[in-house]
Amino acid sequence: MLDILHKIFVGPFIEMSHAPDLLVQVLWEGFVSGTLYALIALGFVLIYKASSVFNFAQGIMVVFSALTLVGLIEMGLPAWLALLMTVGVMYVLAVSVERTILLPLVNQSQSTMIMATIGLSSFLIGFGGFIFGGEPKSMPVALLGIPTGSMQFSVFNGHINIQNLDLAAAVMALVMVTTLGIFFSKTRIGRALRAVADDHQAALSVGITLKQIWVIVWFTAGIVGLTTGIFWGARSDVSFSLQIIALKALPVLILGGFTSIPGVFIGGLIIGIGEQLFEYYWGVQMGGGTQGWVAYMIALLFLWVMPQGLFGEKIIERI
Amino acid sequence: MILELDSIDVVYDHVIQVLKGVSLQVPRRGIVALLGGNGAGKSTTLKAISTLLQFERGEVTKGSILFDGVRVEHSTPDELVRRGCVHVMEGRRCFEHLTVEENLLTGAFTRKEGSSVIADDLELVYGYFPDLKLSRHSLAGYVSGGIQQMCAIGRGLMARPRLMLLDEPSISLAPRVVEEVFEIVQKLNHEQGVSILIAEQNINIALKYASYGYVLENGRVVLDGEANELRNNEDIREFYLGIAGEHRKSFHNVKSYRRRKRWLA
């Protein structure tokens, strides 16, 4: 009994203090996957903010955009043109979603909208598979100008190893989160987006055009998806199994709150770092593979204490 | 006339007819009241004008709506706001998670002018509603009902409208605050030349500030006239203001039927 307690509460910390360089390495890896989780969750938050719809198709949009990009490059297009065309495809997708799903279903219940996004994800899986085939593809990292290789740093009498790709991903995620955060809080369009999220009928009454807002939001979510797809695709393969990572966005959203952009970032970091730390220092004793569930455990704990998340909007109710 | 409705019919969901041949007119710089009880069709009339109806599966199936001489019944809400017709909806409908000032700024969404013009207009709104300036940085969801109503009207004003449609501005407000809101509306009408169409259940206060009134019942205009004419109309006095004859009504003597409304004859 005492032995188990020692393994849980003392052992891991002794390990950490004995090998601080390993700790830094673990933290860094957690940080990188955290920023990527944040990117995925950001796509959900954008759409949830502007239309109160939990977009089940977000994971597929990540895969679909990455597939389009890789597919176009494989067809022999230069990388910059393929990137540009993928952005175009995401725009077309946003407009078609607005025309065929959002507009006809305006003022419908939330569950109707959720079903519609599930339908959209089935469509994208089928359509993407039809055009680009089902087999996994690899992201042509070099063609896209994403740095590869790694850097060595010495800290605490040891080394840590930083993949350039990871560094690029983290920087990109940070830039996106900050830009979108500023865009939402300071600009005229951002204000309109938040207004639509609060009360779309009232937003209509002051002359905000819902169609325009929806297209902007879905297009932005598509671009965020594309960025996520590029970096996740570069770390593994581009295939439809990648959509599973979208499920990792759920605990991040629960932690950060469904409507907060900084919340998404912090939430992503907590989940990413928590997951890595647990796996390295506690998971080993449990046989490993804890990444599959630790994130959800953390989310569950948060649901008990702070059901609206760290930065979620307070639900304002008049009584 | 800035607004002319010519015998419009409104149908919801293709089957439910809500308005039957409603006609009304709002003169330039005038204040007109649209009166009636719950479900009479006041809000529907306003939504038909601002075309918000189409988002509730409603449709104008007959008749025409002229705003400033242009037919608008198949227009869009943003188009109408751009033309100068703003709808302040029932129940205030402020954006709760935006601050009061941000709420006001959303009202200027359709404006193309530079930010300095918008900033001037913001000051103008604060001039009419000094209370808004005091709570400009509070979330609109947390301020009092009166401030929210002012915020909603101020938000509408930021679009520089020529016609404002006010839907029940008195709803769930203290009588003193209701007076205050109507006073400001009247001031806006005089000083800014904004024409006003108010839908109200509070007939007493509406007829005090309006110059002309229409009474809606079951989707029809059953009575219209100058405000003081309506105030002295026997039917209005009995059915809406609760004053019958010379004496106060004693509820001991109330019979199970009421005098038949003359307009139903």
Side-chain angles (χ1 to χ4, degrees), chain B residues 3 13 19 21 36 38-39 43 63 75 90 102 118 122 132 152 158 189 192 194 211 224 234 237 241 246 259 262 264:
Chain B
L3 181 73
D13 266 329
L19 295 188
N38 267 339
S43 294
S75 184
E90 180 179 357
E102 285 176 327
I118 306 284
L122 197 61
L132 286 184
M158 287 298 289
N189 173 258
Q192 301 293 321
V194 186
S211 53
D224 67 292
E234 223 174 298
R237 285 170 72 85
L241 301 177
E246 298 291 300
R259 192 167 63 80
R262 237 170 289 173
L264 293 178

Side-chain angles (χ1 to χ4, degrees), chain B residues 253-258:
Chain B
N253 303 328
V254 169
K255 304 214 178 85
S256 57
Y257 59 90
R258 297 200 297 184

Side-chain angles (χ1 to χ4, degrees), chain A residues 103-108 184-185 188-189 191-192 194-196 198-213 313-318, chain B residues 47 52 55-57 77-78 81-82 86-87 89 92-98 102 105-112 139-145 148 155:
Chain A
L103 207 53
L105 293 181
V106 69
N107 257 354
Q108 296 287 340
F184 258 90
S185 61
R188 164 176 164 273
I189 295 281
R191 218 165 26 230
R194 286 182 294 142
V196 171
D198 256 11
D199 186 337
H200 72 248
Q201 237 185 341
L204 282 167
S205 82
V206 296
I208 293 171
T209 24
L210 275 188
K211 298 182 196 176
Q212 186 193 352
I213 297 295
E313 263 169 6
K314 303 281 172 284
I315 298 163
I316 301 176
E317 210 150 342
R318 297 184 80 85
Chain B
K47 282 176 192 159
L52 284 176
F55 298 94
E56 299 180 347
R57 307 191 159 233
D78 59 295
V81 173
R82 253 182 270 271
V86 163
H87 184 172
M89 293 171 78
R92 310 186 279 262
R93 305 293 279 270
C94 294
F95 304 120
E96 294 182 334
H97 296 98
L98 271 63
E102 285 176 327
L105 287 172
T106 56
F109 184 79
T110 51
R111 308 260 311 260
K112 294 272 181 283
L139 286 188
Y142 289 136
V143 297
S144 72
Q148 282 187 345
R155 183 174 70 185

Side-chain angles (χ1 to χ4, degrees), chain A residues 241-261:
Chain A
S241 60
L242 208 65
Q243 60 166 300
I244 305 290
I245 56 155
L247 291 180
K248 275 283 161 63
L250 263 176
V252 173
L253 289 170
I254 289 171
L255 236 71
F258 273 72
T259 48
S260 163
I261 290 177

Side-chain angles (χ1 to χ4, degrees), chain A residues 152-170:
Chain A
Q152 290 264 342
F153 290 100
S154 34
V155 277
F156 303 118
N157 311 318
H159 306 287
I160 58 162
N161 197 14
I162 290 182
Q163 299 280 331
N164 287 345
L165 174 66
D166 289 354
L167 191 64

Side-chain angles (χ1 to χ4, degrees), chain A residues 2-3 22 73 106 133 143 148 159 161-162 165 168 212 230 237 241 247-249 252 281 288-289 293 297 306:
Chain A
L2 214 61
D3 190 41
L22 182 65
I73 290 177
V106 69
L143 286 178
T148 45
H159 306 287
N161 197 14
I162 290 182
L165 174 66
Q212 186 193 352
I230 290 176
D237 276 337
S241 60
L247 291 180
K248 275 283 161 63
V252 173
Y281 292 102
W293 52 267
M297 279 301 292
M306 299 176 99

Side-chain angles (χ1 to χ4, degrees), chain A residues 38-50 55 58 61-62 65 86-95 97 172 175-184 187 189-190 193 211-229 261:
Chain A
L39 259 189
I40 303 167
L42 187 60
F44 284 96
V45 166
L46 284 174
I47 289 175
Y48 190 84
K49 263 181 101 90
N55 176 23
Q58 185 67 32
M61 278 167 66
V62 170
S65 57
T86 312
V87 172
V89 168
M90 294 323 277
Y91 183 73
V92 172
L93 181 68
V95 174
V97 165
M172 198 65 204
V175 168
M176 284 218 123
V177 171
T178 332
T179 337
L180 286 173
I182 292 171
F183 174 71
F184 258 90
T187 65
I189 295 281
L193 284 170
K211 298 182 196 176
Q212 186 193 352
I213 297 295
W214 281 333
V215 171
I216 292 175
V217 164
W218 280 75
F219 178 54
T220 319
I223 297 303
V224 171
L226 175 63
T227 318
T228 323
I261 290 177

